[in-house]
Amino acid sequence: MVVLPGGGYAQRVAHEGEPIAEWLNGLGVVRASVFRYPLQVRHPEPLDALRAEISRLRESGAERIGLIGFSAGGHLAGLAALAPGADRGEAVDFAVLGYAITSMETETYRPARLILLGDDASPELRRATSLDALVTPSAPPFFVWHTAEDAYVPPEHTYRLAASLAAHGVPHAVHVFAHGPHSLGLAQGSGDAAAWTTLAADWITENTERRASVRDHAGRELRRRSNPGAQRLQRR
């Protein structure tokens, strides 16, 4: 999994980086690393850089790639998972978003939008970088969490994306916790929001194991079809 810290496209918040990778690696089902995507640059430079990293990981032998991002890093993760134009080797298998910016069409968290798109961004560009507008039925599964008290990136962002995922029949899990500010990271000691790591760990495990199971079943089916005689012998 690739970890994408938040920071409004202006910085990378430390507690949303290495501590997240350490937690993921401790699950024993994925290998995680922090990707330091470019800052203070315009779209699509961060997206292009992330897709190049995904491609590099696949060339290094990774079969499945998951992304986990927070705030602006969650927006970038969503773009990589949903935006058109990705090559086959740049595909994302699943994504986890924490209190993510999902819409560039709202006025909330405007500083990040100004950095990424500029002050004169057209309505078309703002829509083309809004995750809810990019969802299709072929989108990968999403786990999305937020807090209702987030004053910087209101939970409206999660509701928008969740509604679009549901409308397109995309597998997803959504959790909005009653209490907690923005930028919680692992949320240890933060009340009910601290449960997100347990929920996400189960979801990540389920998705990685499900995909491995599907791949193994497909392999067995291919071998059966290529050797029907052996299949007949087994039935006897």
Side-chain angles (χ1 to χ4, degrees):
M1 288 189 73
V2 179
V3 181
L4 303 166
Y9 286 109
Q11 61 178 323
R12 301 181 203 94
V13 177
H15 70 270
E16 296 171 352
E18 293 299 338
I20 303 298
E22 291 174 7
W23 162 67
L24 287 168
N25 287 322
L27 299 179
V29 295
V30 296
R31 286 183 296 175
S33 60
V34 179
F35 179 60
R36 291 164 177 80
Y37 56 90
L39 304 173
Q40 299 283 359
V41 295
R42 295 288 177 86
H43 174 76
E45 190 168 338
L47 176 59
D48 289 345
L50 176 55
R51 283 179 166 170
E53 173 67 3
I54 293 170
S55 180
R56 184 191 70 80
L57 290 171
R58 289 202 184 276
E59 290 172 359
S60 299
E63 295 183 4
R64 300 183 306 282
I65 301 290
L67 305 179
I68 181 168
F70 301 85
S71 195
H75 178 256
L76 180 56
L79 279 181
L82 297 171
D87 292 336
R88 198 169 195 176
E90 299 167 345
V92 173
D93 291 291
F94 60 92
V96 176
L97 310 188
Y99 41 88
I101 302 168
T102 69
S103 177
M104 290 290 166
E105 296 183 294
T106 72
E107 290 303 314
T108 52
Y109 217 70
R110 187 169 178 267
R113 193 191 80 222
L114 295 181
I115 290 173
L116 189 66
L117 304 182
D119 194 23
D120 58 348
S122 67
E124 292 77 18
L125 178 58
R126 291 176 66 174
R127 182 128 184 100
T129 49
S130 293
L131 305 187
D132 55 303
L134 298 173
V135 177
T136 67
S138 62
F142 274 79
F143 179 101
V144 190
W145 74 277
H146 220 122
T147 61
E149 294 179 341
D150 192 329
Y152 287 94
V153 181
E156 171 196 2
H157 284 261
T158 282
Y159 297 141
R160 278 175 170 254
L161 177 58
S164 188
L165 292 170
H168 289 85
V170 177
H172 63 283
V174 179
H175 301 276
V176 178
F177 301 99
H179 304 294
H182 189 67
S183 195
L184 282 175
L186 289 172
Q188 294 172 335
S190 297
D192 59 346
W196 86 263
T197 52
T198 300
L199 296 166
D202 291 343
W203 186 88
I204 290 167
T205 300
E206 177 187 352
N207 275 272
T208 53
E209 290 180 350
R210 178 187 299 166
R211 289 177 183 277
S213 176
V214 168
R215 187 183 66 251
D216 292 344
H217 174 76
R220 289 194 299 270
E221 180 67 13
L222 180 61
R223 289 192 295 272
R224 185 189 68 80
R225 291 180 179 179
S226 63
N227 192 359
Q231 183 71 9
R232 287 194 295 270
L233 287 172
Q234 288 175 5
R235 289 177 178 174
R236 294 175 185 173

PDB file of all heavy atoms in Angstrom, residues 1 51 62 76 117 141 177 190 192 211 221-222:
ATOM      1  N   MET A   1       0.836  -1.191   0.000  1.00  0.00           N
ATOM      2  CA  MET A   1       0.000   0.000   0.000  1.00  0.00           C
ATOM      3  C   MET A   1       0.872   1.242   0.000  1.00  0.00           C
ATOM      4  O   MET A   1       1.946   1.265   0.596  1.00  0.00           O
ATOM      5  CB  MET A   1      -0.925   0.020   1.214  1.00  0.00           C
ATOM      6  CG  MET A   1      -2.055  -0.984   1.161  1.00  0.00           C
ATOM      7  SD  MET A   1      -3.263  -0.745   2.497  1.00  0.00           S
ATOM      8  CE  MET A   1      -4.101   0.744   1.928  1.00  0.00           C
ATOM      9  N   ARG A  51       1.118   8.043 -10.197  1.00  0.00           N
ATOM     10  CA  ARG A  51       0.945   6.956 -11.159  1.00  0.00           C
ATOM     11  C   ARG A  51       2.283   6.359 -11.580  1.00  0.00           C
ATOM     12  O   ARG A  51       2.391   5.140 -11.790  1.00  0.00           O
ATOM     13  CB  ARG A  51       0.154   7.465 -12.364  1.00  0.00           C
ATOM     14  CG  ARG A  51      -1.334   7.583 -12.068  1.00  0.00           C
ATOM     15  CD  ARG A  51      -2.142   8.097 -13.233  1.00  0.00           C
ATOM     16  NE  ARG A  51      -3.573   7.869 -13.005  1.00  0.00           N
ATOM     17  CZ  ARG A  51      -4.537   8.377 -13.749  1.00  0.00           C
ATOM     18  NH1 ARG A  51      -4.227   9.139 -14.806  1.00  0.00           N
ATOM     19  NH2 ARG A  51      -5.805   8.121 -13.467  1.00  0.00           N
ATOM     20  N   ALA A  62       4.889  -6.049  -7.455  1.00  0.00           N
ATOM     21  CA  ALA A  62       3.635  -5.916  -6.709  1.00  0.00           C
ATOM     22  C   ALA A  62       2.457  -6.304  -7.600  1.00  0.00           C
ATOM     23  O   ALA A  62       2.313  -5.782  -8.700  1.00  0.00           O
ATOM     24  CB  ALA A  62       3.467  -4.488  -6.206  1.00  0.00           C
ATOM     25  N   LEU A  76      -5.701  13.001  -3.592  1.00  0.00           N
ATOM     26  CA  LEU A  76      -4.775  12.454  -4.581  1.00  0.00           C
ATOM     27  C   LEU A  76      -4.990  10.956  -4.758  1.00  0.00           C
ATOM     28  O   LEU A  76      -4.980  10.451  -5.892  1.00  0.00           O
ATOM     29  CB  LEU A  76      -3.333  12.753  -4.159  1.00  0.00           C
ATOM     30  CG  LEU A  76      -2.238  12.249  -5.086  1.00  0.00           C
ATOM     31  CD1 LEU A  76      -2.413  12.775  -6.505  1.00  0.00           C
ATOM     32  CD2 LEU A  76      -0.861  12.633  -4.533  1.00  0.00           C
ATOM     33  N   LEU A 117      -5.107  23.913  -8.457  1.00  0.00           N
ATOM     34  CA  LEU A 117      -5.783  24.303  -9.694  1.00  0.00           C
ATOM     35  C   LEU A 117      -5.592  25.775 -10.066  1.00  0.00           C
ATOM     36  O   LEU A 117      -5.855  26.150 -11.211  1.00  0.00           O
ATOM     37  CB  LEU A 117      -7.290  24.018  -9.584  1.00  0.00           C
ATOM     38  CG  LEU A 117      -7.700  22.588  -9.237  1.00  0.00           C
ATOM     39  CD1 LEU A 117      -9.214  22.475  -9.223  1.00  0.00           C
ATOM     40  CD2 LEU A 117      -7.087  21.593 -10.206  1.00  0.00           C
ATOM     41  N   PRO A 141     -12.895  -0.736  -5.002  1.00  0.00           N
ATOM     42  CA  PRO A 141     -13.552  -0.553  -3.698  1.00  0.00           C
ATOM     43  C   PRO A 141     -12.923   0.587  -2.890  1.00  0.00           C
ATOM     44  O   PRO A 141     -11.716   0.837  -2.979  1.00  0.00           O
ATOM     45  CB  PRO A 141     -13.337  -1.901  -3.004  1.00  0.00           C
ATOM     46  CG  PRO A 141     -13.047  -2.867  -4.095  1.00  0.00           C
ATOM     47  CD  PRO A 141     -12.339  -2.088  -5.154  1.00  0.00           C
ATOM     48  N   PHE A 177     -17.722   9.484  12.175  1.00  0.00           N
ATOM     49  CA  PHE A 177     -17.759   9.455  13.626  1.00  0.00           C
ATOM     50  C   PHE A 177     -18.238  10.805  14.162  1.00  0.00           C
ATOM     51  O   PHE A 177     -17.952  11.854  13.576  1.00  0.00           O
ATOM     52  CB  PHE A 177     -16.383   9.112  14.175  1.00  0.00           C
ATOM     53  CG  PHE A 177     -15.865   7.789  13.689  1.00  0.00           C
ATOM     54  CD1 PHE A 177     -14.956   7.721  12.639  1.00  0.00           C
ATOM     55  CD2 PHE A 177     -16.308   6.599  14.253  1.00  0.00           C
ATOM     56  CE1 PHE A 177     -14.488   6.512  12.172  1.00  0.00           C
ATOM     57  CE2 PHE A 177     -15.841   5.378  13.799  1.00  0.00           C
ATOM     58  CZ  PHE A 177     -14.932   5.327  12.751  1.00  0.00           C
ATOM     59  N   SER A 190      -8.704   9.232  20.682  1.00  0.00           N
ATOM     60  CA  SER A 190      -9.636  10.237  20.162  1.00  0.00           C
ATOM     61  C   SER A 190     -11.084   9.780  20.208  1.00  0.00           C
ATOM     62  O   SER A 190     -11.885  10.141  19.348  1.00  0.00           O
ATOM     63  CB  SER A 190      -9.249  10.617  18.727  1.00  0.00           C
ATOM     64  OG  SER A 190      -7.969  11.202  18.699  1.00  0.00           O
ATOM     65  N   ASP A 192     -14.487   7.714  19.797  1.00  0.00           N
ATOM     66  CA  ASP A 192     -15.044   6.737  18.866  1.00  0.00           C
ATOM     67  C   ASP A 192     -14.289   6.695  17.540  1.00  0.00           C
ATOM     68  O   ASP A 192     -14.241   5.666  16.873  1.00  0.00           O
ATOM     69  CB  ASP A 192     -16.531   6.989  18.632  1.00  0.00           C
ATOM     70  CG  ASP A 192     -16.835   8.366  18.066  1.00  0.00           C
ATOM     71  OD1 ASP A 192     -15.944   9.236  18.082  1.00  0.00           O
ATOM     72  OD2 ASP A 192     -17.975   8.577  17.607  1.00  0.00           O
ATOM     73  N   ARG A 211      -9.254 -10.694  -3.343  1.00  0.00           N
ATOM     74  CA  ARG A 211      -8.635 -10.594  -4.662  1.00  0.00           C
ATOM     75  C   ARG A 211      -7.687 -11.756  -4.904  1.00  0.00           C
ATOM     76  O   ARG A 211      -7.593 -12.280  -6.007  1.00  0.00           O
ATOM     77  CB  ARG A 211      -7.929  -9.251  -4.802  1.00  0.00           C
ATOM     78  CG  ARG A 211      -8.929  -8.111  -4.908  1.00  0.00           C
ATOM     79  CD  ARG A 211      -8.258  -6.752  -4.980  1.00  0.00           C
ATOM     80  NE  ARG A 211      -9.292  -5.725  -5.013  1.00  0.00           N
ATOM     81  CZ  ARG A 211      -9.931  -5.344  -6.098  1.00  0.00           C
ATOM     82  NH1 ARG A 211      -9.652  -5.896  -7.247  1.00  0.00           N
ATOM     83  NH2 ARG A 211     -10.855  -4.409  -6.049  1.00  0.00           N
ATOM     84  N   GLU A 221      -9.467 -22.363 -12.859  1.00  0.00           N
ATOM     85  CA  GLU A 221     -10.419 -22.492 -13.963  1.00  0.00           C
ATOM     86  C   GLU A 221      -9.685 -22.539 -15.305  1.00  0.00           C
ATOM     87  O   GLU A 221     -10.039 -23.329 -16.191  1.00  0.00           O
ATOM     88  CB  GLU A 221     -11.407 -21.319 -13.938  1.00  0.00           C
ATOM     89  CG  GLU A 221     -12.451 -21.347 -15.044  1.00  0.00           C
ATOM     90  CD  GLU A 221     -13.431 -22.499 -14.890  1.00  0.00           C
ATOM     91  OE1 GLU A 221     -13.464 -23.142 -13.817  1.00  0.00           O
ATOM     92  OE2 GLU A 221     -14.172 -22.762 -15.859  1.00  0.00           O
ATOM     93  N   LEU A 222      -8.628 -21.724 -15.443  1.00  0.00           N
ATOM     94  CA  LEU A 222      -7.858 -21.724 -16.686  1.00  0.00           C
ATOM     95  C   LEU A 222      -7.173 -23.067 -16.887  1.00  0.00           C
ATOM     96  O   LEU A 222      -7.174 -23.626 -17.990  1.00  0.00           O
ATOM     97  CB  LEU A 222      -6.830 -20.592 -16.646  1.00  0.00           C
ATOM     98  CG  LEU A 222      -5.923 -20.451 -17.875  1.00  0.00           C
ATOM     99  CD1 LEU A 222      -6.773 -20.178 -19.116  1.00  0.00           C
ATOM    100  CD2 LEU A 222      -4.902 -19.350 -17.676  1.00  0.00           C
TER     101      LEU A 222
END
